[in-house]
Amino acid sequence: MSDQLRPRASLRTAVVWDVLKDALDRRAEATGRAALDVLDTGGGTGNFAVPVARLGHRVTVVDPSPNALFGLERRAAEAGVADQVRGVQGDVLGLFDVVERGGYDAVLCHGVLEYVEDPAEGIRNAVDALRPSGALSLLAAGLGGAVLARALAGHFTEARQALTDPAGRWGEGDPVPRRFSAEQLTELVTTAGVEVGAVHGVRVFADLVPGVLVDTEPGALEALLKLEAAAAELPAFHSVATQLHVLGKKQG
C-alpha cells in the first residue's frame, strides 16, 4: 500500500491503518456507495482523518482542542481534501451536541477512552452515531504493555502497581488516566451493541526495541512492521501490547 493511502508508515499506525482501510472498503462495497460518512472522535490534527478523506470519504472530526482542529484544517488543505474534512469542537460524552445521531457509516474512537470520565458512555455514544451495520474502530491503551514496559525499565514496584490498579496506572506520575485489557474493551463494545469482528495488539514489540536499532540496521523497520502485523491478531500477544484495537459492526 502506498504512503499516499495511509498515515506515515510507522510502527504506531501501520497495523491499525491496514485494518481500518480494509473495513472501510468492505463497508463501501456493502452500501454500494464509494464515499462513506466517517466520524473521527478525538481525531486531533487528522492522523487518520486526512488519509481516510484521501480514499474519497467524507470525514467529520470531533475534538475538544481548538489548536488541534486548526492543525487539522491546515493538514487537510495541504493534502487537497479540505472539502471532505470538517472539524467541530466537542467530545465524545457530548457528541450529539455537535453531530447527528445515527448518521455515520463508520466511527473512529482512537485514544479517547483513556481520558473520558465514563468510558461506557463514550462507547455508547460512538455506537449511537453509527448507522445500522456501521463499522466501529476502537483504539485504546493496553494494560499489559505498560506493566511490561515498567518492568523492563527496572521499575518493578510501578509495574506491580499498574498490574493491580483498577485503572491500570503505575503511579501519580503516570500520564495515562486509564488502561484496558482486551476483555474489558470487548465487553464495553458488545454491551453497547457491537459485534466484535477482530481484536489486534498494536505496538507489541515496537516500544521495546531500541530506536537506534530500527533507524540504523538495514531493513529493520520493514521487518519489524511485518512482525507487528503477524503478531497483531494472535491473542497470546494482546496481553503485552501497548495499545489494543477492536474492530466491530453495529448490530441491527
Side-chain angles (χ1 to χ4, degrees):
M1 182 184 304
S2 72
D3 287 344
Q4 287 186 328
L5 294 182
R6 67 178 180 184
R8 180 174 172 269
S10 73
L11 296 169
R12 292 181 177 271
T13 60
V15 168
V16 177
W17 174 252
D18 288 343
V19 172
L20 176 61
K21 181 184 181 300
D22 183 60
L24 293 174
D25 289 345
R26 292 198 309 270
R27 191 74 201 120
E29 183 178 0
T31 61
R33 289 185 284 111
L36 300 175
D37 295 304
V38 179
L39 175 65
D40 188 354
T41 65
T45 60
N47 285 342
F48 283 91
V50 168
V52 167
R54 279 176 170 167
L55 295 175
H57 305 304
R58 297 176 291 269
V59 188
T60 299
V61 175
V62 175
D63 197 279
S65 168
N67 288 337
L69 293 175
F70 177 76
L72 168 71
E73 183 179 354
R74 183 174 55 193
R75 176 181 272 183
E78 290 173 351
V81 292
D83 58 340
Q84 293 168 247
V85 177
R86 178 174 72 104
V88 291
Q89 189 172 0
D91 60 51
V92 74
L93 295 186
L95 192 58
F96 301 115
D97 293 335
V98 293
V99 302
E100 177 187 358
R101 188 183 299 267
Y104 297 90
D105 300 294
V107 172
L108 282 57
C109 187
H110 294 174
V112 172
L113 291 194
E114 299 93 322
Y115 301 98
V116 298
E117 185 174 339
D118 187 343
E121 182 183 353
I123 283 295
R124 284 195 301 270
N125 285 351
V127 175
D128 285 348
L130 283 168
R131 292 168 179 154
S133 299
L136 174 70
S137 176
L138 171 64
L139 183 68
L143 170 62
V147 174
L148 185 61
R150 300 315 288 175
L152 291 179
H155 304 300
F156 306 122
T157 299
E158 291 180 349
R160 183 165 58 85
Q161 172 69 18
L163 189 62
T164 57
D165 183 71
R169 289 170 55 83
W170 47 255
E172 291 297 323
D174 192 336
V176 179
R178 187 182 292 106
R179 295 184 178 87
F180 302 88
S181 66
E183 292 75 19
Q184 288 172 324
L185 289 179
T186 55
E187 182 178 356
L188 280 171
V189 300
T190 54
T191 300
V194 169
E195 177 185 351
V196 175
V199 179
H200 300 88
V202 180
R203 289 155 57 195
V204 175
F205 309 103
D207 292 351
L208 306 176
V209 175
V212 63
L213 173 63
V214 177
D215 293 337
T216 60
E217 187 72 20
L221 176 59
E222 188 63 29
L224 185 51
L225 283 167
K226 291 179 179 178
L227 176 61
E228 290 279 353
E233 289 192 60
L234 300 177
F237 291 99
H238 294 168
S239 59
V240 293
T242 299
Q243 293 178 305
L244 294 163
H245 182 240
V246 178
L247 183 70
K249 181 175 71 172
K250 183 177 182 177
Q251 297 175 350

